[in-house]
Structures are given as structure tokens and as C-alpha cells.
């Protein structure tokens, strides 16, 4: 595993900044992480992530979005 994945995975041990229907949200050293709560259909998560971010007052519309799977956990990473 590379250092980026290590940073992200370590951040998942911290207190989340919020929780929505589909995601648990974290701040990391490299961006915002939306951790999938379940292993539902990827398209469902992808289409709901911006709506869910708005529910906890996050504006991720101008951020780059990257899908990652780290140690069996699925997430979106948002960064500038």
C-alpha cells in the first residue's frame, strides 16, 4: 500500500465530520473522504454523493473526485 492510502486509512480512525444516508465523512491531510456505508451499487453512491455532501454543508462541486478501494473499504476522495 502506498503512503496516500496509508494517510487516508489512518484518517478513518479519527472522528468523522458527519454522517449521511450513504456515507461517513472524514477530513484527511489530502482532502475530504466519503466512506461508503454499505456495498450497494456504485452508481447509487456516485449519483448521491453531492446531494449527501450538501446535507452536511460541504460544497464538493469544484473538487476532483476519485474512487478508491482501500483494505476492502470503498470511498470517494475529494481534493483540489
Amino acid at each position: 500500500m502506498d503512503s496516500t492510502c496509508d494517510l487516508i486509512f489512518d484518517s478513518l480512525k479519527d472522528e468523522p465530520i458527519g454522517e449521511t444516508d450513504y456515507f461517513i465523512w472524514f477530513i484527511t491531510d489530502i482532502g475530504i473522504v466519503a466512506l461508503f456505508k454499505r456495498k450497494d451499487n456504485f452508481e447509487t453512491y456516485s449519483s448521491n454523493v453531492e446531494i449527501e455532501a450538501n446535507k452536511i454543508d460541504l460544497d464538493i462541486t469544484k473538487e476532483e473526485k476519485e474512487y478508491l478501494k482501500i483494505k476492502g473499504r470503498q470511498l470517494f476522495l475529494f481534493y483540489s
Side-chain angles (χ1 to χ4, degrees):
M1 186 160 37
D2 64 20
S3 60
T4 301
C5 290
D6 287 340
L7 279 171
I8 293 169
F9 196 76
D10 286 344
S11 295
L12 300 181
K13 297 173 187 171
D14 295 338
E15 188 73 26
I17 59 169
E19 189 169 336
T20 57
D21 294 336
Y22 290 97
F23 301 99
I24 302 171
W25 298 84
F26 295 88
I27 296 291
T28 72
D29 290 337
I30 54 178
I32 297 169
V33 166
L35 178 66
F36 290 29
K37 288 175 111 177
R38 297 172 289 279
K39 293 185 180 191
D40 289 339
N41 184 312
F42 173 82
E43 286 77 26
T44 300
Y45 279 93
S46 188
S47 64
N48 281 297
V49 70
E50 287 185 28
I51 296 165
E52 300 259 320
N54 286 332
K55 289 181 180 181
I56 59 168
D57 296 324
L58 290 175
D59 182 7
I60 56 172
T61 57
K62 295 179 181 154
E63 305 293 321
E64 296 292 325
K65 178 173 92 173
E66 187 173 337
Y67 169 77
L68 299 169
K69 193 169 189 178
I70 303 171
K71 294 185 179 183
R73 306 196 69 186
Q74 296 173 287
L75 58 95
F76 289 120
L77 171 65
F78 296 92
Y79 60 92
S80 304

